Amino acid sequence: MGLFVRKVKTASGATAVQIAEKRRGVRTIIEHLGSAHTEAEVAALVQVAKDRIAGDQQQLDLQIPVPTDKPAPSAAPAGPVVTGSSSKLLWDVLEQAYSRIGFEGIGNETFKQLVLARLVDPTSKADTIRVLEEIGAQPPSLRTIWRTLAACIEQDWRDGFCRAAYAFAAAKAGPTGLSVVLYDVTTLYFEATDEDELRKVGMSKERRVDPQIVVGLLVDSAGFPLEIHCFEGNKAETLTLIPVLKSFQGRHGTRDLVVVADAGMLSAANLNALEDAGFSFIVGSRITKAPYDLAAHFERHGNHFTDGQTLESVRSMGTGAKARDRRVVYHYSFKREKRDNYTLNKQIEKAEKVANGQRPLKRDRFVKLAGKKPGVDWTLVERARQLLGLKGYVSNIGPEILDGPAVVAAYHSLWQVEKSFRMAKSDIRARPMFHHQRDSIEAHLTVVFCALAVARHLQDVTGISIKKLVQTLRPLRTVTIDVNGHDLTAAPAIDADIQKILDMVSAHAGH
């Protein structure tokens, strides 16, 4: 086994300098130190590599020729010394994406650093200083960070970011502009014991009992974020949709859009408000009324459906003067039936254990009380079996404009907003939040919104996750070397796979 310095020509004609290891006849590249175009730069990198192998990364004793266009220093040459190292390639890619979306003219440099650092290593605001130092960016002070977050709220930077995101998404959509927006909510909990006016205990997506907030996210059909809003932790999902859409409509003056949301948003009041505001909608529907809506089908065919079949009905929703007839589309999937059947059998199994005294009485499905003794409600079980594989959708779009399969296809794009939430929670780590004041939480969510926009854009143009992009580009360090008073910059070696990623990013620079 032995470490050695390896020099190799790159496709661009430069010379890449690497530290390599040979073990049992197999050669492995340990580190790419960079690539250079002149003999002096190559010699400096070679010496840096030798020095690293020897264990001393600071003082080097190899004499490197000094370029003749500058006078030689009067003091004795001290040799090449590494004076700086940065992940410039990664930072440039992130900055280009941030600017391309239109965020550059909003906020300030510190806010941009908070957004991009969150993509590199999501951590606390104080620890972001370390991340920026490691990347090679000049970090702000912690006091400047706090002032920046306060200015974000005082000057309503989120409005500017949302406007820029909408303009970017609309331009990307082409001449027709945006036609579909997707909406969903999630919850972010706090490891705190006390509630306040914002952080309250409510229905948690993560099944926790901690104080939380509800976050509403509006995205385009590809999952690119357009709006983000924060609500009290105990606010019902149905009550978040209209405020978000009214804010969106007031900001951009849009009306001719289709809003897609899941069954958690379904209420007669919501649908009426959407329609009155000029929106078309496709909202998931609970299928408990399917046997009544599809009575003719069940009479003729029982519960037999063909895979992918759609059926339609009209249902009155709301009461009194507020009641309106709504189009309901039902879709059957064989794959969904298998999944539903598995879940149903597990629920029946639990109900039978309750009836047999093998399981304590809980709020299990299909359990009924006959006197004081629990039993299985087989009538309800049979009704549930009729519905296996069915899913419903309510819409105010006529079948002459959007047929049943098209309604189903539009609804299925909701996975994009779910994916954006997963990215916000995992890659960008929207929580844990080290904030407890509402303004600080709102500023944090603005940072998350911008980071999510950059991440979704880069993922869209490269086809790889933001996590993999960062892991690929972050180790490629640009090294600054002082050679007898002259600064030399050695770019990292770039292989074909990395060049392909950079080319894809550059190809969208004008979009």
Side-chain angles (χ1 to χ4, degrees), residues 281-416:
F281 58 79
I282 300 171
V283 181
S285 171
R286 300 173 183 86
I287 60 171
T288 52
K289 295 188 177 181
Y292 309 104
D293 291 352
L294 304 178
H297 175 88
F298 284 111
E299 287 176 6
R300 295 178 184 175
H301 308 285
N303 60 349
H304 173 74
F305 299 91
T306 59
D307 193 25
Q309 182 177 358
T310 59
L311 298 98
E312 301 206 15
S313 70
V314 175
R315 183 193 310 164
S316 178
M317 299 185 66
T319 58
K322 296 181 180 180
R324 299 184 191 178
D325 287 342
R326 299 297 182 195
R327 176 190 179 197
V328 184
V329 176
Y330 288 97
H331 175 257
Y332 171 81
S333 163
F334 178 68
K335 182 178 180 180
R336 187 187 299 123
E337 180 182 356
K338 289 198 299 182
R339 184 174 61 248
D340 290 350
N341 189 55
Y342 175 82
T343 302
L344 178 63
N345 288 335
K346 287 293 183 182
Q347 292 170 334
I348 294 172
E349 185 179 314
K350 288 182 179 179
E352 288 179 326
K353 287 183 177 180
V354 172
N356 296 332
Q358 298 173 283
R359 176 183 170 88
L361 180 61
K362 297 182 179 179
R363 297 180 62 182
D364 292 307
R365 192 181 182 191
F366 306 131
V367 173
K368 69 175 182 179
L369 289 175
K372 294 185 178 180
K373 184 178 179 181
V376 179
D377 190 336
W378 292 108
T379 302
L380 193 59
V381 168
E382 185 56 33
R383 181 179 171 187
R385 288 204 182 278
Q386 284 185 303
L387 308 178
L388 294 177
L390 284 175
K391 187 171 180 64
Y393 312 89
V394 178
S395 179
N396 64 342
I397 306 172
E400 71 282 357
I401 299 175
L402 215 60
D403 63 14
V407 168
V408 175
Y411 183 87
H412 283 177
S413 60
L414 262 182
W415 68 272
Q416 290 284 6

Side-chain angles (χ1 to χ4, degrees), residues 74 86 112 142 182 338 344 350 371 425 433 441 447 464:
S74 57
S86 67
K112 179 177 75 172
L142 187 56
L182 319 173
K338 289 198 299 182
L344 178 63
K350 288 182 179 179
K425 286 188 172 183
M433 271 186 277
I441 292 171
V447 172
I464 61 177

Side-chain angles (χ1 to χ4, degrees), residues 94-106:
L94 296 178
E95 280 192 316
Q96 289 169 19
Y98 187 89
S99 177
R100 195 174 305 141
I101 295 170
F103 290 164
E104 193 70 58
I106 305 157

